[in-house]
Amino acid sequence: MPTYRYSLCFTLSLLAPNMALAQQYAELPPVLVTASRLGDGITGVATSVIGYEEIQRSPGETIQDVLGRQSGIQLRSLYGGVGGAGTTVDMRGFGATASANTLVLVNGRRLNDLDLAGIDFAALPKAGIERIELMRGNSGAVLYGDGAMGGVINIVTSGAARPGYSLDAGIGSLGQREAAASARQSIDGFELSAYGSFANSDGYRQNNKLLQRNANGEIRRRLDFGDLYMNFSLDDQQLGLPGERRSRLAGQHPRGATNPYDYANKQGQNLTIGGTWLIGNHADLVLDAGVRRKSQDAYFDQSGFPSYVDTELTTYSFTPRLTLQNRPFELGLNSILGLDLYNADYESDRQERAGNRPIHRYDAEQQSLALYGQSTLAVTAATDLSAGLRLQRTEVSARDRYDATAPGGGFGSQGAPFDDEATDYAYHLGFEHRFAPAFEVFGRTGRSFRFPTLDERIGMGSPTNFRLQTQTSQDVELGFQGKAGAAGYRLSAYVMRLENELAFNAVNFTNRNLDPTERRGIEASGDYQLLPELKLRAGAGYIDAEFRKGANAGKRVPLVSTWTSNIGFSWDILPKLVLLDMDARFFSARRMENDERNFQPQIPGHVLLDLRLSGAFDNRLRWSLAVQNLLDRTYYDYSVASATTYGSYNYYPQPGRTAMARLGLDF
């Protein structure tokens, strides 16, 4: 077991908005991050907030679809997009490793685990989300740690903020059936909320069925000195994996299955207990601890070579933090100081089939300890400056027990024992200046890091590659945002320079560090209230993600579209009774995975048009009809190319037109 020989962190920060001094600028678009670690947001960051009404009215069926309508965000799915299972959200162009470079939080607590399974958005209750906060780039690395290079997604749940009870049911294309129930109430000083949901779908392709069951809730007790809370969640997912379609096999139907017996099952449990203590009028202390357990088993059969994986991952966390608010020299200063302690235990058996003796049995443990601080200083009523620093030490120990006599074990080798210690740091410097009540400029620079996950160190084959290097990124970003009458707008430009970017090697099924890469981009978004009942919105993103050194210098990073855009509207045809929402999204062509040389055909660009009709009677009975891919486009957004043969690649078709009808009752 790794032990800490030393851990020292010096945190210095100068930053926090003074809300009292800046009230005259309250017309600026709100930047609310109240469930995160710095209550008024991160200064200098291109932050956006997706509110409750926008989430509920989105034509998108899943949380990923809601996020995919934001400027610069790209989506990718291997499994037909069924219920959002396996759909990856990519912020700022990380392609195949997007899930490990986008940090997802629920109420400020990180969900990312030390594996490559990614965040299962399908396990989160869409009906229980109050808002979603997006912090782009590596701006959240100081507050939340490694894995925040592309951005941070903070999902804020409503708890008992909307008291009442609700029942929902839906039926749609591809045999999709779903049901959900929720309860939110305050009783004798306790705020209680609970959500449960069930979804079942036949899927777009053969062997593509999904069964998803979720339950989660919160108990919160308000007290004179603060509050106490407990959160829990349970999820169970069973998913068929149809596999790829092959470019060089004529007559393959897009809805067929190359692998008719492959599957992936997952069960998760999560418990968090904590409390907030108010210290005078200018400070509060948060103490919370949690445990997450994830069990996964999956079966794959690649060209007659079967493989069964059975993995258990348990993560313990303790994350106390202290926030301070004061006014030295009549200036506003908000600060946060915190400690993050995580311990992850990983056990994974790799064998030919369930029930066989394991060929490889991997045991690994990873501990990390971090100290961080970040502050915002209102130097004038119009100008805020920020600074933050995190120092994090990580220790990992991994062992491979190899059994050559196990069925199928005659062709491998045992990985060498691995013990390692690494210390890295992140920093943030930012500013905001308001030139007018409705116009401000912002900017930041920062450094972030990402330690290899345990899955990346182990890989899928033999030998393992335990000795991967830490990925780092240096960001610079400038932008402006504002409001002019009925119009709101935001634009930012950024540069990210990465070292030791982690990526999968599809030739030997291990992971590796890439040559240095760079991402340069622009993101813009805006909305306009054309009429009291009609709101327009649009967004666009440009990103040039390329290798800047090595054999592929100047080549594009795979699985990243250079251009993305979205346009849509919300129209209250008959207020409350009949509402219409429409979104159109465009993604330009992208390089296939494993095509760092950029010599293969590209994944074609595509346009998707989605709409939703909805309404409510007597504020109790809700109805909706949503249609995705209204134009019935044939497309795919993920493929893996041969490294040597032009035109040879595997691709994963996505559904055509689908529809979903729902009824809901509030009482």
Side-chain angles (χ1 to χ4, degrees):
M1 176 184 298
T3 57
Y4 287 102
R5 298 198 178 99
Y6 67 89
S7 181
L8 174 66
C9 178
F10 171 71
T11 57
L12 175 64
S13 47
L14 294 170
L15 204 216
N18 184 338
M19 301 305 293
L21 293 177
Q23 285 182 347
Q24 58 185 303
Y25 302 106
E27 295 183 23
L28 282 170
V31 178
L32 303 174
V33 197
T34 54
S36 73
R37 294 183 170 181
L38 197 57
D40 298 309
I42 302 176
T43 297
V45 178
T47 303
S48 56
V49 178
I50 310 171
Y52 177 83
E53 182 178 1
E54 184 178 351
I55 295 170
Q56 300 307 314
R57 291 188 58 167
S58 171
E61 288 296 293
T62 67
I63 297 174
Q64 296 99 313
D65 289 333
V66 174
L67 294 168
R69 285 154 176 79
Q70 301 297 307
S71 61
I73 291 183
Q74 303 181 30
L75 304 179
R76 184 181 72 254
S77 178
L78 277 69
Y79 315 126
V82 182
T87 299
T88 301
V89 176
D90 190 350
M91 298 181 72
R92 301 215 158 159
F94 280 87
T97 60
S99 62
N101 287 283
T102 301
L103 189 59
V104 180
L105 318 170
V106 171
N107 297 325
R109 291 188 62 84
R110 59 185 294 148
L111 289 185
N112 296 57
D113 284 317
L114 294 174
D115 59 7
L116 285 177
I119 299 303
D120 185 10
F121 289 95
L124 301 175
K126 185 178 175 183
I129 298 175
E130 183 68 20
R131 65 182 182 276
I132 302 174
E133 305 162 344
L134 303 177
M135 293 160 274
R136 294 172 169 84
N138 68 9
S139 56
V142 169
L143 295 182
Y144 302 110
D146 63 318
M149 286 195 175
V152 175
I153 300 171
N154 187 32
I155 298 172
V156 182
T157 57
S158 58
R162 301 176 182 274
Y165 304 88
S166 65
L167 295 172
D168 291 85
I171 186 170
S173 305
L174 308 177
Q176 187 164 349
R177 301 166 299 281
E178 63 178 44
S182 66
R184 304 167 300 279
Q185 199 58 261
S186 297
I187 302 175
D188 296 332
F190 287 90
E191 296 181 0
L192 310 174
S193 62
Y195 299 88
S197 63
F198 165 88
N200 194 0
S201 174
D202 294 335
Y204 173 62
R205 300 174 58 191
Q206 297 175 17
N207 188 35
N208 199 195
K209 290 185 177 182
L210 169 70
L211 175 61
Q212 179 78 48
R213 293 171 290 187
N214 309 312
N216 52 70
E218 178 182 274
I219 302 173
R220 185 176 293 271
R221 171 67 170 175
R222 302 291 183 182
L223 301 168
D224 292 339
F225 62 83
D227 60 9
L228 301 174
Y229 53 85
M230 180 182 74
N231 299 301
F232 71 89
S233 66
L234 304 168
D235 63 88
D236 181 19
Q237 181 184 96
Q238 300 174 35
L239 179 65
L241 308 179
E244 71 281 356
R245 301 278 79 187
R246 298 171 183 171
S247 64
R248 290 189 173 271
L249 292 182
Q252 280 199 321
H253 196 281
R255 301 186 66 171
T258 302
N259 304 315
Y261 305 110
D262 289 7
Y263 63 85
N265 299 329
K266 181 180 72 68
Q267 297 80 41
Q269 304 90 37
N270 183 24
L271 177 67
T272 302
I273 299 176
T276 301
W277 283 262
L278 304 178
I279 305 173
N281 296 322
H282 302 290
D284 63 82
L285 174 66
V286 178
L287 294 175
D288 58 11
V291 57
R292 291 197 312 272
R293 183 176 178 84
K294 182 163 60 177
S295 304
Q296 302 173 91
D297 67 288
Y299 175 77
F300 307 92
D301 190 338
Q302 296 293 327
S303 302
F305 292 94
S307 175
Y308 178 77
V309 179
D310 186 4
T311 302
E312 297 277 350
L313 177 62
T314 304
T315 304
Y316 303 91
S317 62
F318 178 57
T319 55
R321 51 201 179 274
L322 177 69
T323 60
L324 304 168
Q325 300 180 29
N326 52 60
R327 298 182 60 186
F329 310 109
E330 298 302 316
L331 298 177
L333 177 66
N334 286 355
S335 301
I336 181 170
L337 300 172
L339 177 149
D340 286 344
L341 176 62
Y342 287 90
N343 186 93
D345 292 314
Y346 177 98
E347 298 178 358
S348 184
D349 290 347
R350 314 291 174 92
Q351 54 227 60
E352 261 199 344
R353 302 180 188 276
N356 287 359
R357 293 200 318 277
I359 301 171
H360 290 274
R361 173 164 286 176
Y362 296 103
D363 295 297
E365 183 176 8
Q366 181 164 309
Q367 293 182 348
S368 67
L369 175 65
L371 294 174
Y372 64 90
Q374 186 153 310
S375 299
T376 300
L377 177 67
V379 294
T380 71
T383 304
D384 298 336
L385 300 178
S386 70
L389 176 66
R390 166 182 285 258
L391 187 63
Q392 181 167 323
R393 182 167 185 79
T394 297
E395 300 187 2
V396 60
S397 176
R399 298 292 185 270
D400 173 19
R401 285 177 286 173
Y402 171 65
D403 184 354
T405 66
F411 303 98
S413 61
Q414 180 167 297
F418 178 72
D419 296 282
D420 190 38
E421 302 174 355
T423 301
D424 219 312
Y425 70 95
Y427 72 83
H428 167 80
L429 298 171
F431 79 92
E432 293 178 4
H433 181 75
R434 294 169 286 280
F435 286 97
F439 178 76
E440 73 171 24
V441 296
F442 58 86
R444 66 175 183 89
T445 185
R447 184 185 189 274
S448 62
F449 58 89
R450 181 169 86 81
F451 294 115
T453 67
L454 295 176
D455 272 349
E456 285 174 315
R457 294 187 188 275
I458 293 171
M460 295 178 60
S462 181
T464 58
N465 187 11
F466 287 144
R467 298 187 180 280
L468 293 169
Q469 300 299 308
T470 301
Q471 174 181 315
T472 61
S473 175
Q474 183 75 44
D475 284 20
V476 176
E477 183 167 7
L478 291 172
F480 61 85
Q481 63 182 1
K483 189 173 183 180
Y489 55 87
R490 180 176 61 248
L491 184 145
S492 63
Y494 60 89
V495 177
M496 305 169 62
R497 297 175 67 86
L498 284 83
E499 302 283 346
N500 294 317
E501 183 171 348
L502 293 156
F504 181 66
N505 186 333
V507 176
N508 59 15
F509 303 106
T510 61
N511 292 277
R512 68 195 192 281
N513 293 108
L514 298 176
D515 292 321
T517 57
E518 182 174 89
R519 289 156 175 82
R520 300 181 295 272
I522 299 174
E523 294 170 347
S525 62
D527 58 76
Y528 181 64
Q529 193 75 45
L530 182 62
L531 299 170
E533 64 277 5
L534 180 60
K535 184 175 185 178
L536 310 178
R537 55 185 175 272
Y542 166 81
I543 182 169
D544 179 16
E546 64 178 35
F547 297 93
R548 55 188 173 90
K549 291 183 180 180
N552 297 313
K555 304 293 186 181
R556 286 172 52 194
V557 174
L559 298 179
V560 181
S561 294
T562 303
W563 291 97
T564 60
S565 63
N566 62 279
I567 186 170
F569 65 81
S570 295
W571 180 19
D572 297 354
I573 300 174
L574 295 174
K576 295 186 179 180
L577 293 176
V578 182
L579 313 175
L580 176 62
D581 294 89
M582 187 278 291
D583 280 306
R585 295 173 290 158
F586 165 72
F587 301 89
S588 69
R590 60 185 80 173
R591 292 290 175 182
M592 300 179 184
E593 184 171 3
N594 202 40
D595 186 25
E596 286 87 357
R597 293 167 54 198
N598 290 186
F599 81 101
Q600 290 281 12
Q602 298 189 67
I603 300 173
H606 56 273
V607 175
L608 300 176
L609 179 64
D610 306 329
L611 64 82
R612 182 178 188 267
L613 274 170
S614 63
F617 300 99
D618 194 28
N619 292 324
R620 297 184 63 187
L621 181 62
R622 294 172 282 105
W623 66 274
S624 67
L625 175 63
V627 181
Q628 278 70 53
N629 194 3
L630 180 66
L631 303 179
D632 200 24
R633 300 297 190 191
T634 299
Y635 75 102
Y636 58 95
D637 53 24
Y638 178 76
S639 66
V640 181
S642 165
T644 57
T645 306
Y646 177 81
S648 177
Y649 56 89
N650 298 332
Y651 65 100
Y652 296 76
Q654 298 300 298
R657 183 188 302 113
T658 59
M660 188 72 189
R662 289 187 176 87
L663 283 177
L665 179 63
D666 298 324
F667 54 95

